[in-house]
Amino acid sequence: MEIKTVKTEKTVFGGNTIAKVDSKTVFIPYSMPGETLSVNIVQHKNDYDNAEILEILEPSPHRVTPACKYYGNCGGCNMMHISTDFQRQIRKEMLCDAFGKYKIDIKDKIEVVTGPDFNYRSRFQFIDGGLSQKSTNNVIKIDECLCAEKPVNDFLKNTQFENRPKGRAHYFGSEKLCTEEKLKIEIPVPKAEGPKIKSNKKIKLKEKHYFSGTILSEENTATVNLNGKTLSFDVRGFFQSNLYVFEKVLNLITQSLPGGENILDMYSGCGSISVFLKDKYKNVSLVEHNRDALVYAEKNMNGLTHTSYGLSGASWVKNCASFCPPFDACVVDPPRSGMEKEVLDYLCKSKIPYIRSLSCDPSTHARDCERLIKAGYRLEKIYLLDFYPHTSHIESLAIFNLGL
């Protein structure tokens, strides 16, 4: 063992707190700023070391006893040892640091959007009915997750581990589901049997569209009620996991836009934002490379004037953008890697007056926002979207208006 006594400095993106040993940075999980720790250096790298806590000599006043009995063993939460208010302060500082690397000062423009601290998460991927152990392939047999919504926990408490679906299964449980049964589970099909398709129904497309796709199985379709509207999606695909915060985000986006003729929803997914944009704009253009997700968007946008493009953002810019009417606003919600270069180039040149930029990665969000600012857009406000309390995960919403 290589034992050192350290004084922690700040928590960085990813959730580890750093300290210095002989001027070398040491990353320490399950710590927080301002603590004196006895640590064991477990890994040496060229530029940094990794350590584990042996003893907390002087704890932070913000340290609390984790409420979850699986904490530290489960690979999910990594900030439950920190009081919730201080967690949010740390995540806020992380977001500021990410933008600061691009010389964008957001300290006076940032606001935190919160929801429940516990029982907020509706979407899970369980392995053999349990969760992955931290840094291993072992499965933890859980009977409760403090972050899960009640319907998920009801299932975990009332279903013996051996009776849960085997393999990787997608669970979606929420009080907002529009059925009596508040839990949807994908039952994995053994590979030898091939894909099990109950229905291969094509959605009838009334509006102009540039794609084809199918709903592979009605068994995997979930429908929720958000802010008075119903939205359908495939439980195996992407959908927001914290519906309580997502409802607030939908209000922030729509209320910050003035309305008009045409709006672009880039990386639209199943149309979960487009449905609400239609309240303020006559036509919504949806761009989404996952065509099966876009079929759900067609279902959700049924009867609403819209145009759907089953293309990557880059392909849409190359093949379709020049034929579209001028857009009065744009909402962009890219994957973790950020906007495609072609999409970012297009937006910077577009002169679209209002851009609302969502992101699930602060580093790529800061990078993309820098380009928009250099192109003449004003960053009016940025929201830290606290979708995942007790974790270091950060999502954000940037409000851009074109400078005059």
Side-chain angles (χ1 to χ4, degrees):
M1 295 179 71
E2 188 176 348
I3 301 174
K4 303 287 184 180
T5 298
V6 299
K7 181 79 170 181
T8 53
E9 298 178 4
K10 65 184 296 185
T11 304
V12 295
F13 187 60
N16 292 332
T17 302
I18 60 172
K20 295 287 185 181
V21 173
D22 299 327
S23 300
K24 192 175 185 182
T25 299
V26 180
F27 290 92
I28 310 163
Y30 304 115
S31 56
M32 70 183 85
E35 295 191 311
T36 302
L37 308 171
S38 174
V39 302
N40 177 35
I41 307 296
V42 295
Q43 188 179 45
H44 289 285
K45 297 287 188 177
N46 288 336
D47 299 325
Y48 64 92
D49 292 337
N50 289 316
E52 62 182 4
I53 298 175
L54 294 178
E55 185 180 357
I56 302 169
L57 303 175
E58 295 179 15
S60 164
H62 303 290
R63 180 174 281 276
V64 297
T65 301
C68 178
K69 59 188 174 183
Y70 305 108
Y71 186 65
N73 193 22
C74 165
C77 298
N78 61 354
M79 297 184 81
M80 198 178 279
H81 61 285
I82 307 172
S83 67
T84 52
D85 287 344
F86 197 56
Q87 283 184 40
R88 293 188 180 111
Q89 180 59 36
I90 290 173
R91 288 191 284 273
K92 188 175 178 180
E93 289 171 2
M94 288 180 188
L95 187 60
C96 289
D97 287 345
F99 276 75
K101 289 179 181 178
Y102 292 89
K103 295 181 170 56
I104 306 171
D105 186 357
I106 62 171
K107 288 177 183 174
D108 295 331
K109 297 178 180 179
I110 189 170
E111 183 177 321
V112 182
V113 179
T114 65
D117 292 330
F118 293 96
N119 305 121
Y120 61 81
R121 186 175 180 125
S122 54
R123 188 166 62 91
F124 284 83
Q125 181 176 259
F126 289 129
I127 302 170
D128 293 334
L131 291 172
S132 295
Q133 186 178 32
K134 183 178 175 64
S135 304
T136 75
N137 292 322
N138 297 332
V139 175
I140 303 173
K141 300 178 180 180
I142 66 167
D143 56 20
E144 181 184 28
C145 173
L146 296 184
C147 294
E149 275 208 57
K150 183 178 181 298
V152 176
N153 276 326
D154 286 345
F155 173 82
L156 294 174
K157 289 175 184 177
N158 299 326
T159 309
Q160 292 294 322
F161 186 75
E162 57 271 16
N163 295 330
R164 299 173 191 173
K166 303 304 177 188
R168 293 181 180 272
H170 296 84
Y171 292 57
F172 191 95
S174 177
E175 298 294 344
K176 296 181 183 294
L177 273 168
C178 298
T179 57
E180 244 182 76
E181 181 60 51
K182 296 298 183 182
L183 181 71
K184 265 286 193 189
I185 305 175
E186 174 218 2
I187 305 300
V189 179
K191 290 183 180 178
E193 295 182 17
K196 183 180 180 182
I197 300 175
K198 184 178 180 182
S199 78
N200 195 28
K201 182 173 71 174
K202 292 203 174 191
I203 297 294
K204 214 169 194 182
L205 306 177
K206 294 183 179 179
E207 307 296 342
K208 192 175 182 183
H209 65 284
Y210 297 89
F211 75 96
S212 61
T214 57
I215 292 179
L216 295 180
S217 175
E218 295 291 346
E219 286 182 346
N220 294 319
T221 298
T223 302
V224 294
N225 186 304
L226 295 180
N227 289 344
K229 297 183 186 292
T230 56
L231 294 163
S232 296
F233 56 95
D234 192 319
V235 295
R236 298 164 299 175
F238 174 77
F239 198 78
Q240 284 291 352
S241 299
N242 186 330
L243 303 184
Y244 304 97
V245 172
F246 189 46
E247 285 185 317
K248 293 183 178 181
V249 173
L250 292 169
N251 286 335
L252 286 172
I253 292 172
T254 54
Q255 291 170 9
S256 71
L257 291 168
E261 293 289 327
N262 300 295
I263 187 166
L264 174 64
D265 186 358
M266 180 64 67
Y267 309 108
S268 67
C270 68
S272 54
I273 299 176
S274 290
V275 170
F276 295 89
L277 297 177
K278 191 61 185 67
D279 289 343
K280 303 192 79 169
Y281 291 86
K282 290 184 179 179
N283 179 68
V284 183
S285 293
L286 298 83
V287 180
E288 171 56 53
H289 81 283
N290 186 326
R291 299 183 181 191
D292 291 331
L294 208 49
V295 169
Y296 279 95
E298 290 295 324
K299 184 175 183 178
N300 293 327
M301 296 289 288
N302 185 37
L304 305 176
T305 306
H306 66 284
T307 309
S308 297
Y309 299 88
L311 301 166
S312 68
S315 295
W316 178 83
V317 170
K318 179 180 178 181
N319 300 301
C320 304
S322 61
F323 301 104
C324 292
F327 291 109
D328 301 307
C330 172
V331 174
V332 56
D333 186 8
R336 193 176 299 277
S337 55
M339 297 186 218
E340 296 154 280
K341 180 181 180 300
E342 295 84 353
V343 170
L344 193 51
D345 289 344
Y346 165 78
L347 290 178
C348 287
K349 297 173 184 176
S350 68
K351 304 303 179 186
I352 295 174
Y354 306 98
I355 294 177
R356 304 297 178 255
S357 175
L358 283 155
S359 174
C360 59
D361 186 285
S363 297
T364 57
H365 200 197
R367 178 200 68 197
D368 294 345
C369 287
E370 181 199 34
R371 284 284 316 278
L372 290 171
I373 291 169
K374 287 182 176 179
Y377 282 91
R378 294 192 311 271
L379 178 58
E380 306 286 359
K381 197 170 189 63
I382 186 160
Y383 295 95
L384 190 159
L385 310 175
D386 209 26
F387 276 107
Y388 301 102
H390 310 299
T391 80
S392 56
H393 185 78
I394 294 172
E395 303 204 10
S396 48
L397 166 64
I399 306 295
F400 281 106
N401 297 335
L402 188 62
L404 298 176

